[in-house]
Amino acid sequence: MKIARADSATRERVASLLMEGGPTTAAALASDLGLTPAAIRRHLDQLVADGIIEPRDPRTPGRRGRGRPAKEFAITDLGRDTFGHTYDDLASQALRYLRDHDGQDAVIDFARSRLTELEQKCTTAAAGSANAVQAVAKALTADGYAASVESSAAGEQICQHHCPVSHVAHEFPELCDAETEMLSRVLGTHVQRLATIAHGDGICTTHVPTQQGKKVTQR
């Protein structure tokens, strides 16, 4: 029984690492967890069989010499479900009712209003930090979005590896649009949503340009 509990805890940790950090290889996971290649492979095989993770070809294989590049493993929608998707059907039904009885604008208003508290947290975090984007990512992580930041020549990208409302947002993209608007206000610049979990992408990615403009007026 102790072995079973240990295995379960290790697999939960593997799934958590993939959700928070995005797709990665078996070798990298083994290194992070201090496991042997044989041990990590056993856990990965079981997680794949359970539908929690899936193997993928790497996006940018690069030069690895001879042989094919190592497979990466990524969290699936079912895997994300284990991290807190609850009441999705009820939420979707409520939003359909709101849309059918009060119109599309009512859905938009709701999408914006549900982010009021999160916007305050992000604004406070950004105001007291030398790097507003990193501070906002930390605030998002604290709220369950498992966010990180990647740099590029054109700016930075906020990568959200988990979305608590992704299943509902698939039908109601207003939730994603409101979140993008919120990030734009907090960071004081126009941001662009490049990808979303709700529409089948591995992570939600928001581009923040290098040159930030004048602070956007709060609603």
Side-chain angles (χ1 to χ4, degrees):
M1 295 301 292
K2 290 183 179 179
I3 294 176
R5 286 198 293 270
D7 284 350
S8 177
T10 299
R11 287 166 193 162
E12 287 179 6
R13 181 61 179 146
V14 170
S16 179
L17 285 172
L18 291 175
M19 187 185 74
E20 295 172 2
T24 191
T25 63
L29 288 167
S31 177
D32 288 341
L33 294 170
L35 298 175
T36 65
I40 193 65
R41 178 60 61 183
R42 177 168 60 86
H43 291 300
L44 291 173
D45 287 346
Q46 187 60 55
L47 287 167
V48 170
D50 292 341
I52 302 299
I53 66 173
E54 62 183 3
R56 294 181 180 178
D57 291 324
R59 292 183 180 179
T60 309
R63 297 182 62 86
R64 294 177 52 89
R66 295 180 179 178
R68 293 184 297 178
K71 288 280 187 181
E72 292 183 338
F73 293 87
I75 196 80
T76 64
D77 286 341
L78 178 61
R80 289 192 181 91
D81 285 346
T82 66
F83 287 91
H85 284 299
T86 56
Y87 305 113
D88 288 337
D89 289 341
L90 179 61
S92 294
Q93 290 173 17
L95 285 174
R96 289 188 205 111
Y97 182 91
L98 187 64
R99 179 187 60 199
D100 294 343
H101 287 77
D102 296 317
Q104 198 71 23
D105 288 344
V107 176
I108 295 173
D109 288 343
F110 168 80
R112 289 170 173 167
S113 66
R114 66 171 290 272
L115 294 172
T116 299
E117 183 177 352
L118 179 58
E119 181 169 349
Q120 291 174 347
K121 293 177 182 178
C122 290
T123 299
T124 300
S129 174
N131 188 320
V133 177
Q134 289 282 0
V136 167
K138 289 181 180 179
L140 290 171
T141 295
D143 223 63
Y145 288 83
S148 61
V149 177
E150 295 184 2
S151 298
S152 68
E156 295 177 288
Q157 292 182 353
I158 298 176
C159 302
Q160 296 162 228
H161 302 280
H162 179 57
C163 175
V165 297
S166 62
H167 288 192
V168 181
H170 179 74
E171 181 178 354
F172 294 94
E174 293 88 351
L175 297 171
C176 297
D177 294 342
E179 189 177 294
T180 304
E181 293 174 2
M182 182 271 287
L183 291 173
S184 181
R185 287 193 299 272
V186 169
L187 295 170
T189 188
H190 174 72
V191 303
Q192 182 180 6
R193 184 59 61 91
L194 303 179
T196 62
I197 294 171
H199 290 88
D201 299 299
I203 58 177
C204 296
T205 307
T206 304
H207 175 70
V208 183
T210 301
Q211 296 296 326
Q212 293 192 357
K214 186 177 179 180
K215 183 129 180 105
V216 177
T217 302
Q218 298 284 336
R219 286 190 296 108

